[in-house]
Amino acid sequence: MADDLHKGDEVTWRSHGTTVEGTVEKKITADTEAAGRTVRASKDDPQYLVRSDKTGREAVHKPSALDEA
């Protein structure tokens, strides 16, 4: 689990049974639209916008789903 990530940090996460490597693009601390969906977040319960190194696609994950690479 990764805590207090910053833009540019390298992370990994699990997606469909594989490990994906990518980069933190942004810390989300308020409800917003990102990666094609509505994201529910707050300062006490943030989420992170990440970009896959392999595909370039964006995803949003809670800190518990991310590991520092």
Side-chain angles (χ1 to χ4, degrees):
M1 179 170 96
D3 291 320
D4 198 31
L5 295 168
H6 300 92
K7 183 176 180 174
D9 287 352
E10 295 291 324
V11 293
T12 62
W13 63 93
R14 299 289 294 169
S15 178
H16 305 288
T18 62
T19 299
V20 180
E21 296 179 354
T23 305
V24 173
E25 295 287 315
K26 179 180 178 181
K27 182 177 184 177
I28 301 171
T29 58
D31 292 353
T32 189
E33 296 287 325
R37 68 180 181 91
T38 300
V39 177
R40 301 285 180 215
S42 67
K43 288 186 178 187
D44 293 332
D45 190 21
Q47 295 201 43
Y48 290 92
L49 178 66
V50 293
R51 183 177 302 276
S52 167
D53 290 343
K54 184 175 180 179
T55 66
R57 297 180 84 178
E58 291 182 337
V60 177
H61 292 289
K62 292 186 178 231
S64 61
L66 300 171
D67 292 308
E68 293 185 70

